[in-house]
Amino acid sequence: GQNIDQPTEMTATEGAIVQINCTYQTSGFNGLFWYQQHAGEAPTFLSYNVLDGLEEKGRFSSFLSRSKGYSYLLLKELQMKDSASYLCAVGNYGQNFVFGPGTRLSVLP
Amino acid sequence: GAVVSQHPSWVICKSGTSVKIECRSLDFQATTMFWYRQFPKQSLMLMATSNEGSKATYEQGVEKDKFLINHASLTLSTLTVTSAHPEDSSFYICSPTGPGSYNEQFFGPGTRLTVL
């Protein structure tokens, strides 16, 4: 079966750092993706991990531990525009994704 | 990045009518199209997968006679919600993939369907 878990909501302050966790139990694994989705819009790609470790991309970093079925997205120097839902998804390019429930992040001034 | 368009971006219709949503991949050939829907405050759920020129494969719980998918060309796929009901109100998102897109996964901008 497929099960992906994320916290439902998080709140953080502008300029701070926030870590959004994702745990997964899936029948297959090709890669772990993180997407950002603003209300009423389609998801936009943030990061992709296929091997264990940390991938850094500007203010965003994503970590993966395949043995633990665990990933996190780290957002640094939070800005108001980072208020959005963050979806982790298991899948691979060219294949369908299984999405987690999403974490709604609110950034406060 | 690739450009994916959906039309309409939003639609309001009466219960019992049919609504057609178009998804176009504008700069690569979409050999496969994934259709997702997203209910308010929920995540994306895969509805069906279609390969160009073949019948779509539907996920469990998705009625194939209600959600008609046509993928007749490499640049266009359509999803028709037949006899729409209020519970079909959702955000429908397409995700095309194919040669030339394997280094990214693209999503259309979505179609907001509201059935009165």
Side-chain angles (χ1 to χ4, degrees):
Chain A
Q2 318 270 39
N3 186 44
I4 302 178
D5 241 337
Q6 298 178 239
T8 305
E9 293 187 18
M10 297 184 72
T11 302
T13 306
E14 196 175 14
I17 299 173
V18 71
Q19 177 175 313
I20 303 175
N21 296 324
C22 171
T23 58
Y24 64 90
Q25 293 172 311
T26 55
S27 55
F29 179 83
N30 288 308
L32 194 294
F33 291 75
W34 283 95
Y35 282 85
Q36 179 191 62
Q37 186 180 28
H38 286 99
E41 298 180 10
T44 54
F45 172 80
L46 289 179
S47 70
Y48 168 56
N49 293 70
V50 65
L51 299 175
D52 290 353
L54 189 68
E55 292 281 341
E56 297 188 77
K57 213 176 181 182
R59 293 192 299 117
F60 297 86
S61 303
S62 58
F63 171 83
L64 175 67
S65 169
R66 289 172 295 171
S67 61
K68 295 181 179 177
Y70 168 69
S71 173
Y72 68 72
L73 179 70
L74 195 70
L75 293 80
K76 304 175 186 175
E77 300 169 16
L78 279 174
Q79 302 175 10
M80 300 296 290
K81 65 178 182 180
D82 297 329
S83 293
S85 286
Y86 291 85
L87 311 173
C88 71
V90 173
N92 201 3
Y93 299 119
Q95 300 174 15
N96 68 285
F97 284 11
V98 178
F99 284 90
T103 299
R104 286 192 300 281
L105 174 66
S106 299
V107 180
L108 305 177
Chain B
V3 179
V4 183
S5 70
Q6 276 186 244
H7 177 80
S9 55
W10 59 270
V11 58
I12 301 173
C13 69
K14 292 183 179 180
S15 187
T17 60
S18 294
V19 174
K20 180 186 280 190
I21 301 169
E22 292 185 350
C23 175
R24 296 180 185 272
S25 61
L26 302 181
D27 59 359
F28 69 93
Q29 295 181 326
T31 52
T32 301
M33 184 70 74
F34 302 109
W35 284 96
Y36 295 86
R37 65 180 167 185
Q38 185 176 33
F39 293 107
K41 297 189 177 182
Q42 294 185 27
S43 193
L44 282 74
M45 297 294 292
L46 181 68
M47 298 177 65
T49 303
S50 71
N51 294 303
E52 185 261 339
S54 302
K55 288 185 179 179
T57 303
Y58 291 80
E59 295 299 301
Q60 193 173 6
V62 179
E63 299 174 55
K64 63 178 182 179
D65 295 329
K66 182 172 181 60
F67 298 98
L68 303 179
I69 292 173
N70 184 286
H71 191 171
S73 81
L74 291 172
T75 58
L76 172 65
S77 176
T78 61
L79 168 67
T80 302
V81 184
T82 62
S83 187
H85 287 105
E87 57 265 31
D88 299 324
S89 298
S90 188
F91 193 48
Y92 292 87
I93 303 175
C94 65
S95 179
T97 186
S101 75
Y102 285 148
N103 59 338
E104 290 194 53
Q105 189 78 28
F106 300 102
F107 292 87
T111 297
R112 172 75 58 194
L113 170 63
T114 302
V115 185
L116 303 177

